[in-house]
Amino acid sequence: MPRVVGRAHPNGNACDMTLTVLGIESSCDDTSAAVVRRGSDGRGAILSNVVFGQADLHAGFGGVVPEIAARAHAERLDHCAEAALSRADVTLGGIDAIAVTAGPGLIGGVMAGVMFAKGLAAATLRPLIGVNHLAGHALTPRLTDGVGFPYLMLLASGGHCQFLLVEAADRFRRLGGTIDDAPGEAFDKVAKLLGLGQPGGPPVEEAARRGDPARFALPRPLLDRPGCDLSFSGLKTAVLRARDGALVDGALPAQARDDLCASFQRAVSETLAEKSRRALAEVAHLSPSCFAVAGGVAANTELREALGDVAGAVPMLAPPLALCTDNAAMIAWAGIERWDLGHRDGMDLGARPRWPLDSEAAPLIGSGRKGAKA
């Protein structure tokens, strides 16, 4: 007989139940499993959050190889989930539901996670909840700080960049987004152009600390147009041209490299800060509870400072670094939020490479023939 899920609060409300969820994340190159518990007071607690990275597997290729990533997920998911349960001191019998990233992402990795979660759900008779990876990022401020709706979210990562008005756990309004490269992708490609390591964010930021951000005049894309849409492809090309112009006897001097990193980072920060100012102005009449930023790029110190300067009277919130990058704790929490809204999935849950959060928004210009990724 299926187990009765959750420990009900005396008043019987679903959102007042104590709920323990195992989260599974495998959308890119991090295999992650986490156990998150929502108490009867509505606040979440991360009991464990295990991440198995794959940087060593992709180091020689200058980026993530989807086939290698998918195989690594398939090999590591069971070990990762076992470690998460052990660190949380919880058995599978103590899990109330299983939440899994069902998209968007690299399809092989998403499929590996979904199939693993289906197997666990079938074997343990636990409910299965498919989660949009982007919703996991967007709802993280509710896990860490319990913020109320609505709030403005800037999601800036390697694969996605968009401004979202988070109106409910299943209702997101996109104010703007990138029409081509995401900022994290631009950081990675600039790092590759300059002979730095991968992922590109940390080495570019480190080099920028030694550089002069005013040396190279790089563009601030789309600031001459109204709205909150973004573009980083042209900025990446401008860095390539500046690099070629700074070569000395076919080599790039170390100081020129550092100055390029500083100039590039400043261009990204100022562009995102101005677009954030516009987004904040657009939703000011709704009195958002906060301006939150998430995704791997949110770990950049200069960007955080620039966004804090434009937030003004609206509290600016950036989750801890471990929750900015891909992780299963955010997936487990998003699963809890979806549980409260009555969402459940069956064994027909599919893996989706593309899954827009705002299904009513027009596709972004650079979304391609298959539709928008974000």
Side-chain angles (χ1 to χ4, degrees):
M1 177 179 295
R3 176 172 171 264
V4 176
V5 176
R7 273 70 67 188
H9 191 270
N11 66 19
N13 293 335
C15 62
D16 289 326
M17 295 170 61
T18 299
L19 199 66
T20 304
V21 172
L22 172 66
I24 303 294
E25 156 63 21
S26 59
S27 66
C28 190
D29 62 334
D30 286 326
T31 309
S32 182
V35 178
V36 174
R37 178 170 293 154
R38 195 272 314 281
S40 58
D41 60 355
R43 299 301 297 267
I46 301 174
L47 305 186
S48 66
N49 190 23
V50 176
V51 180
F52 291 173
Q54 299 181 10
D56 56 331
L57 299 179
H58 304 279
F61 300 95
V64 177
V65 181
E67 293 81 2
I68 293 176
R71 184 178 298 116
H73 287 309
E75 293 173 349
R76 298 176 176 184
L77 276 164
D78 54 346
H79 301 292
C80 195
E82 185 177 28
L85 291 167
S86 176
R87 294 182 191 182
D89 195 22
V90 174
T91 66
L92 276 174
I95 295 296
D96 295 315
I98 298 167
V100 61
T101 295
L106 300 177
I107 190 60
V110 177
M111 287 178 64
V114 168
M115 295 305 293
F116 176 74
K118 284 183 179 180
L120 280 183
T124 60
L125 298 179
R126 299 302 188 267
L128 177 68
I129 305 172
V131 170
N132 186 310
H133 174 83
L134 303 179
H137 281 300
L139 294 171
T140 296
R142 289 177 52 77
L143 167 61
T144 57
D145 293 83
V147 301
F149 299 118
Y151 57 91
L152 179 64
M153 162 66 72
L154 168 58
L155 173 56
S157 67
H160 310 279
C161 186
Q162 55 190 301
F163 289 98
L164 297 166
L165 180 65
V166 185
E167 299 174 310
D170 62 348
R171 192 166 70 250
F172 308 87
R173 179 154 62 91
R174 194 185 74 220
L175 306 179
T178 179
I179 63 175
D180 44 53
D181 291 351
E185 182 180 358
F187 268 94
D188 289 344
K189 291 181 177 179
V190 165
K192 188 174 181 180
L193 286 174
L194 302 181
L196 300 174
Q198 295 292 321
V204 169
E205 183 175 11
E206 177 62 29
R209 293 192 182 100
R210 303 185 295 267
D212 176 7
R215 176 174 174 182
F216 294 97
L218 299 177
R220 274 58 172 166
L222 298 190
L223 291 192
D224 59 339
R225 303 183 192 178
C228 301
D229 284 343
L230 298 144
S231 169
F232 294 101
S233 180
L235 176 57
K236 177 189 63 183
T237 302
V239 171
L240 172 61
R241 292 173 177 168
R243 183 206 66 178
D244 292 347
L247 296 177
V248 177
D249 296 329
L252 184 66
Q255 189 58 54
R257 178 201 63 203
D258 294 346
D259 293 343
L260 257 177
C261 286
S263 300
F264 165 75
Q265 182 174 266
R266 181 63 52 85
V268 173
S269 297
E270 290 185 353
T271 299
L272 286 172
E274 173 57 28
K275 294 292 184 173
S276 297
R277 184 181 289 108
R278 298 180 189 182
L280 284 162
E282 187 172 335
V283 301
H285 66 288
L286 298 172
S287 300
S289 62
C290 73
F291 172 40
V293 57
V297 179
N300 185 280
T301 302
E302 180 172 333
L303 176 59
R304 286 192 183 215
E305 292 176 353
L307 297 178
D309 290 340
V310 303
V314 179
M316 190 253 183
L317 176 63
L321 175 58
L323 298 180
C324 284
T325 53
D326 292 349
N327 67 94
M330 69 179 190
I331 302 304
W333 177 256
I336 290 172
E337 297 255 29
R338 287 181 64 79
W339 170 277
D340 288 341
L341 294 172
H343 292 286
R344 309 288 187 274
D345 289 288
M347 290 297 124
D348 58 346
L349 175 66
R352 303 173 64 172
R354 297 167 185 263
W355 189 359
L357 273 180
D358 185 351
S359 60
E360 297 181 1
L364 291 167
I365 295 172
S367 60
R369 291 180 303 167
K370 296 181 179 180
K373 289 190 290 185

